[in-house]
Amino acid sequence: MSSVTRRATSCCDDVPQKSTLKVDEARQKILGAIEPISASEKLTLRNALGRVLAEDIISPISVPGHTNSAMDGYALAGDDLPQGGDRIYRVMGRSLAGAPFSGSCESGQCVRIMTGAVMPAGTDTVVMQEHVNEVETDSVRIDDGHRCGQNVRQAGEDIAAGSTVLQISHILTPADLGVLSSLGIGEVRVRRRPRVAFFSTGDELRSIGEPLSEGDVYDSNRYSLFGMLKRLDVEILDMGVIKDNTDDLEKAFNEASLMADVVITSGGVSVGEADYIKPILEKTGQIHFWKIAMKPGRPLTHGRIGKSLFFGLPGNPVAVMVTFYQFVQPALEYLASAHYSQPLTLMASSSGNIRKRKGRYEFQRGILEQDETGKMTVKKTGQQGSGVLMSMSLANCFILLDEDCDGVAAGDMVRVQPFAAFI
Ligand code: AMP
Ligand code: MG
């Protein structure tokens, strides 16, 4: 392995360096290097939830298919509504949802109608039953003050036949499944899901069930990574733990890149003696950059091995989650759909002081709360070290402190990114 001559920088060193990228720049570079997946498959509606459309959906029919009543009441012609006083109408029959009235309506006539029932010939207006008095079994009194066309849903008002209902690259939501089924569409063409292979690196890592010797730790990154990937509905290939040795790592890199669109590793991306990821990536693939002005997560390697995108995440468990959410998740979304929109953020009042130095973007872990008046308050989840995974476990949001922020006083407004944004 080539020897590393660069000066070792600790991940707690706050001085940004020349080769360091800002968080937004890094995300842009990552997205710019991605060729979205074009392969597709046909799926039934229930299996297509959360998947990315590979085709525009053109409506084969109009919805509603027929002009129908939006209320229970009486249908009549708008021109024939009472003018300046009550009027008595003869009830010619009934129109129910699924059982339309077959006759037609003349002046002085109306038809009893229920919500969703087809408007009978000669009618275009419905008077709600609450505004109608029954005079006899086949006649009703209707009062003044109604509007021609009221309480009627026009054919095609929701969706016109031939119109584009959903566009290519749209991610299917529960509402979309409802819309598609309302058009009688049972199958859709969606993009293939991204395949993601990942492994942890480190001689000190033990799997659950193995005894811990002095200095060993259980591998937690593979589990948090699994959890974050699972939420994204990608194909997951867990390759286990790989020791800090060049041959094993090189073999794992090559294997992973043959199987997956994206390869993710954790650990070994700094410039310590056992940090092999960067030199191996330089040898087996291409490296794009490896330092970002952020905390936690500064040492991050991004590049390519063969056709696969590569993310060498830091080893520290919180840094893994922060860099995944800020860089890998956007990349996977873009790869799957050719779209990425930043998760929504909101402003909250900080319940305490937060220490911070200028220069790096910090993702502190917080608990966001809302009181009865709607006021949002956020507090830190205790110790914020990049190895303190409980700071993530207790949190429900990131507190976003940008490069220029040099500390927060209690009561100041801060920007937060709720974790719900990542689900
Ligand atoms: P590294 O980036 O390999 O120097 O690792 C930084 C820190 O993260 C060290 O304390 C490692 O023991 C820890 N670490 C690395 N990988 C994992 C993992 N998969 N699970 C838990 N801790 C890890
Ligand atoms: Mg290591």
Side-chain angles (χ1 to χ4, degrees):
M1 200 204 86
S2 60
S3 67
V4 177
T5 52
R6 199 183 288 260
R7 181 180 75 91
T9 51
S10 116
C11 67
C12 302
D13 181 349
D14 269 331
V15 186
Q17 297 170 354
K18 264 209 169 139
S19 57
T20 303
L21 285 176
K22 285 187 168 179
V23 172
D24 282 348
E25 289 169 344
R27 199 183 288 114
Q28 282 315 315
K29 276 185 182 263
I30 289 169
L31 297 182
I34 294 173
E35 185 70 37
I37 289 172
S38 57
S40 66
E41 57 186 325
K42 240 186 177 178
L43 291 181
T44 57
L45 277 194
R46 283 199 171 94
N47 292 319
L49 181 65
R51 299 292 295 269
V52 178
L53 274 179
E55 58 183 356
D56 284 339
I57 303 289
I58 311 293
S59 180
I61 57 171
S62 289
V63 179
H66 50 264
T67 300
N68 68 88
S69 177
M71 293 284 177
D72 292 338
Y74 292 81
L76 72 174
D79 298 352
D80 203 32
L81 278 166
Q83 306 285 337
D86 293 358
R87 191 171 152 198
I88 306 242
Y89 293 82
R90 182 138 183 255
V91 183
M92 304 307 292
R94 284 147 47 102
S95 181
L96 308 179
F101 174 72
S102 52
S104 73
C105 233
E106 311 284 329
S107 177
Q109 300 179 345
C110 66
V111 172
R112 177 88 174 107
I113 195 163
M114 300 301 156
T115 305
V118 177
M119 293 294 289
T123 71
D124 58 7
T125 300
V126 171
V127 178
M128 278 167 72
Q129 67 187 34
E130 289 83 342
H131 294 283
V132 173
N133 289 312
E134 214 169 285
V135 181
E136 285 171 42
T137 44
D138 63 349
S139 62
V140 289
R141 179 192 305 277
I142 295 182
D143 59 5
D144 204 355
H146 300 286
R147 188 177 44 80
C148 175
Q150 70 180 23
N151 301 326
V152 173
R153 297 187 286 221
Q154 300 300 326
E157 160 182 300
D158 194 1
I159 299 167
S163 65
T164 303
V165 184
L166 297 170
Q167 287 189 335
I168 188 166
S169 295
H170 177 78
I171 297 173
L172 292 169
T173 64
D176 299 331
L177 299 195
V179 167
L180 290 166
S181 59
S182 77
L183 303 179
I185 295 173
E187 280 189 330
V188 282
R189 184 159 284 285
V190 296
R191 298 247 188 266
R192 170 173 78 69
R193 292 191 297 177
R195 287 189 201 106
V196 183
F198 64 103
F199 52 88
S200 298
T201 72
D203 287 345
E204 77 282 27
L205 302 180
R206 296 289 167 268
S207 294
I208 297 168
E210 288 179 352
L212 290 183
S213 302
E214 200 185 345
D216 290 350
V217 294
Y218 285 119
D219 172 11
S220 63
N221 290 344
R222 256 167 67 225
Y223 288 86
S224 46
L225 274 173
F226 169 83
M228 292 184 290
L229 289 167
K230 182 91 183 150
R231 287 265 166 90
L232 294 182
D233 195 23
V234 295
E235 265 183 52
I236 301 174
L237 307 157
D238 182 345
M239 295 177 64
V241 176
I242 310 292
K243 294 274 182 208
D244 286 322
N245 99 45
T246 317
D247 291 345
D248 288 356
L249 285 168
E250 221 176 296
K251 198 163 143 250
F253 269 48
N254 289 325
E255 244 175 61
S257 72
L258 291 177
M259 297 187 294
D261 303 296
V262 178
V263 178
I264 305 172
T265 65
S266 70
V269 290
S270 212
V271 285
E273 278 182 22
D275 292 332
Y276 297 142
I277 298 292
K278 186 173 170 262
I280 294 178
L281 189 64
E282 271 165 349
K283 185 172 164 206
T284 55
Q286 298 149 17
I287 190 159
H288 292 160
F289 65 82
W290 69 292
K291 271 182 287 178
I292 303 175
M294 66 186 284
K295 187 180 175 180
R298 173 152 55 162
L300 174 112
T301 309
H302 168 57
R304 205 164 260 290
I305 322 171
K307 288 191 172 158
S308 313
L309 279 177
F310 177 82
F311 291 94
L313 306 185
N316 275 310
V318 180
V320 165
M321 297 196 73
V322 172
T323 50
F324 182 94
Y325 283 139
Q326 300 303 325
F327 304 112
V328 184
Q329 179 156 328
L332 288 170
E333 282 180 26
Y334 192 81
L335 184 68
S337 68
H339 279 300
Y340 169 70
S341 46
Q342 291 256 40
L344 294 180
T345 58
L346 50 92
M347 301 302 285
S349 163
S350 176
S351 68
N353 299 335
I354 305 178
R355 282 181 54 188
K356 158 140 187 343
R357 279 202 246 154
K358 275 194 178 187
R360 284 208 268 169
Y361 201 126
E362 287 196 17
F363 295 87
Q364 300 219 356
R365 278 73 68 201
I367 300 171
L368 180 66
E369 282 170 345
Q370 188 171 32
D371 69 15
E372 334 56 76
T373 68
K375 186 182 172 210
M376 299 277 196
T377 308
V378 68
K379 64 168 185 266
K380 288 195 332 183
T381 55
Q383 281 290 328
Q384 296 288 305
S386 63
V388 185
L389 198 46
M390 280 307 292
S391 70
M392 275 301 286
S393 181
L394 292 169
N396 64 6
C397 68
F398 287 125
I399 305 172
L400 305 178
L401 305 174
D402 68 20
E403 295 86 352
D404 295 334
C405 168
D406 59 357
V408 173
D412 282 358
M413 296 302 280
V414 287
R415 188 168 291 283
V416 303
Q417 193 170 45
F419 286 171
F422 298 116
I423 294 172

